[in-house]
């Protein structure tokens, strides 16, 4: 009798409770919707707080991320961490995700069919977290989330909108490693994000 009740309670928990990020991750790590599932070492789902007020969205995992299964853990990730800390935050306070959850071979740019196949994963992550601001890093994340072909140089620094959430497009940290002179522009963008969060 007691066992039956407990089994019922467990069933209720799994069938009726709203699916959280953990449930979504367990689905996504099995994904085979595009060819990247054949070459990936790990799915890089995303990391950080599920109550984050700020989400950073990058392009796709690189080699380090593919090996560790975590977003932005290579050189570009080191710079992103510095940007987050300069904003007075820690990585665990924000959420970090990518447009693609799997590494494109040789870090080639995401293909349109891969973006389409992966699009719902990021949409669901954003829906579950409902942040105040999304910061899109680079051309692919900015154009995909804002559904535009406007170049990143014209998008950056101006808030856009994704389903009622403010989106700040800025340069990708990998670009900043090649063009350190543009770090000051990114800092201008982050100041606008901080003002919005305060
Ligand atoms: N570049 C990205 O866009 N995402 C990562 O996770 C790492 C590098």
């Amino acid at each position: 009798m007691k066992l039956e009740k407990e089994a019922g309670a467990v069933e209720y928990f799994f069938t009726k409770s709203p699916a959280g990020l953990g449930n979504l991750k367990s689905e996504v790590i099995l994904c085979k919707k595009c060819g990247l599932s054949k070459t990936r070492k790990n799915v890089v789902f995303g990391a950080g707080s599920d109550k984050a007020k700020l989400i950073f969205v990058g392009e796709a995992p690189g080699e380090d991320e593919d090996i560790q299964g975590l977003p932005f853990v290579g050189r570009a990730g080191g710079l992103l961490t510095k940007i987050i800390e300069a904003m007075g935050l820690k990585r665990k306070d924000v959420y970090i995700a990518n447009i693609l959850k799997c590494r494109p071979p040789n870090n080639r740019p995401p293909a349109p069919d891969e973006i389409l196949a992966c699009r719902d994963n990021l949409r669901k992550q954003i829906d579950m977290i409902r942040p105040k601001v999304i910061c899109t890093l680079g051309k692919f994340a900015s154009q995909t989330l804002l559904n535009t072909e406007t170049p990143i140089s014209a998008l950056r620094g101006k808030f856009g909108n994704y389903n009622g959430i403010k989106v700040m497009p800025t340069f990708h940290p990998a670009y900043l490693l090649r063009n350190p002179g543009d770090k000051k522009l990114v800092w201008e963008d982050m100041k606008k994000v901080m003002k919005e969060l305060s």
Side-chain angles (χ1 to χ4, degrees):
M1 184 68 178
K2 191 166 179 275
L3 269 178
E4 264 179 8
K5 264 193 177 165
E6 278 178 1
V10 167
E11 193 187 316
Y12 180 85
F13 178 79
F14 282 112
T15 54
K16 299 282 176 1
S17 66
L21 278 175
N23 290 3
L24 179 62
K25 182 175 178 179
S26 347
E27 277 173 31
V28 176
I29 56 173
L30 304 174
C31 178
K32 292 200 169 80
K33 282 188 193 154
C34 81
L36 299 181
S37 62
K38 297 196 184 86
T39 50
R40 73 182 176 222
K41 288 191 172 69
N42 282 294
V43 170
V44 180
F45 177 72
S49 168
D50 56 5
K51 296 183 183 64
K53 295 275 165 278
L54 174 60
I55 300 185
F56 287 94
V57 179
E59 181 176 316
E63 186 179 18
D64 296 299
E65 291 78 17
D66 186 40
I67 292 169
Q68 296 187 44
L70 291 168
F72 281 99
V73 288
R75 271 188 78 219
L79 182 51
L80 178 61
T81 305
K82 280 192 187 165
I83 293 170
I84 292 168
E85 289 174 354
M87 296 169 81
L89 298 166
K90 297 202 167 69
R91 275 178 73 117
K92 69 173 176 51
D93 300 325
V94 302
Y95 195 84
I96 306 176
N98 282 303
I99 294 289
L100 295 189
K101 307 304 187 208
C102 299
R103 182 191 182 203
N106 304 315
N107 299 343
R108 63 155 170 75
D113 65 312
E114 294 160 355
I115 294 179
L116 209 65
C118 216
R119 199 171 53 177
D120 274 354
N121 296 324
L122 181 63
R123 280 186 181 159
K124 288 180 191 168
Q125 284 172 304
I126 295 170
D127 273 1
M128 286 177 192
I129 299 170
R130 292 302 299 176
K132 227 175 152 190
V133 180
I134 300 170
C135 177
T136 48
L137 303 166
K139 164 186 158 168
F140 278 96
S142 305
Q143 293 184 340
T144 303
L145 230 66
L146 294 172
N147 195 22
T148 177
E149 291 186 355
T150 306
I152 180 66
S153 51
L155 289 173
R156 69 141 284 275
K158 296 183 215 92
F159 278 111
N161 173 65
Y162 171 83
N163 280 357
I165 301 170
K166 293 211 164 179
V167 176
M168 174 54 74
T170 196
F171 290 133
H172 193 287
Y175 165 86
L176 292 182
L177 290 172
R178 299 188 301 273
N179 300 274
D182 279 349
K183 282 183 189 172
K184 55 183 177 305
L185 295 176
V186 171
W187 186 237
E188 290 306 311
D189 303 344
M190 293 310 103
K191 283 197 277 190
K192 292 179 191 166
V193 169
M194 288 189 286
K195 195 167 169 212
E196 200 55 42
L197 292 174
S198 68

